[in-house]
Amino acid sequence: MNLPDPPLLLVTDRHQARLPLLEVVTAALAAGCRWVSVREKDLSADDQLALARTLLPSVRRHGARLTVHGDAALAKASGVDGVHLPAGSDPALSRAMMGAGKLIGVSIHTITEAEAIDAGVVDYAIAGPAFETASKPGYGPEIGRKGLAEIARVARVPVLAIGGINVARVAEVLAAGPAGVAVMGGVMRAADPGAAMKALLATVAGTRR
């Protein structure tokens, strides 16, 4: 399955958001973002379901896609476009539950995990942390440009880099081999999330010319 275009995923974190989450997401979508994933794992399943359903109309109005980080059953119940699974999950079970028309992604941190991806089941992978990140301080050693290049080389699916991604680093990251980037804090913490997203998208577009 083709990934959303442009290849920039906005991952939510309402704790970091300076504005109500729906406002942040809507501003990002209006700026050109076409892929959002709900990552609010501290919420109950019912609350995650309600949040996804709250965001979905705005996502649909902008012709974008919405996924959920975590659980395929929750993603299916909420009517979103796919699920993003943590490292060590069994994507085949999620694919069987969600069907062929949905996005299935996995988190990876090492070359070994990248090599193990079954491209017949998984659509994409998110590799991180690419760099030290304020969103998740101390969350594992950074992969760095060299690590991203190696992961992108061996993975049989498109790879998105996450962690410490900002406008200054987008070109560097994409030049290393990943197909796209995923961002969280830089947009969530922005006073003007639409402007932050526009700047990121402009840099992504510039690297693809």
Side-chain angles (χ1 to χ4, degrees), residues 139-172:
Y139 190 74
E142 68 174 36
I143 295 172
R145 177 172 176 158
K146 181 180 178 182
L148 289 172
E150 292 173 345
I151 285 172
R153 179 177 57 81
V154 302
R156 292 182 289 276
V157 297
V159 173
L160 307 180
I162 194 171
I165 304 296
N166 54 38
V167 169
R169 279 179 162 154
V170 167
E172 172 189 359

Side-chain angles (χ1 to χ4, degrees), residues 60-172:
R60 290 284 181 261
R61 280 195 301 272
H62 288 88
R65 282 191 264 182
L66 183 66
T67 52
V68 170
H69 267 57
D71 183 80
L74 176 65
K76 184 175 182 179
S78 62
V80 299
D81 302 297
V83 66
H84 184 80
L85 304 170
S89 300
D90 184 349
L93 291 176
S94 295
R95 176 61 72 196
M97 181 179 296
M98 299 202 69
K102 300 293 186 179
L103 284 168
I104 304 287
V106 295
S107 288
I108 57 173
H109 311 290
T110 66
I111 294 172
T112 300
E113 289 174 336
E115 290 175 328
I117 293 172
D118 181 351
V121 176
V122 173
D123 296 301
Y124 70 94
I126 295 182
F131 307 102
E132 284 294 327
T133 169
S135 295
K136 292 183 177 181
Y139 190 74
E142 68 174 36
I143 295 172
R145 177 172 176 158
K146 181 180 178 182
L148 289 172
E150 292 173 345
I151 285 172
R153 179 177 57 81
V154 302
R156 292 182 289 276
V157 297
V159 173
L160 307 180
I162 194 171
I165 304 296
N166 54 38
V167 169
R169 279 179 162 154
V170 167
E172 172 189 359

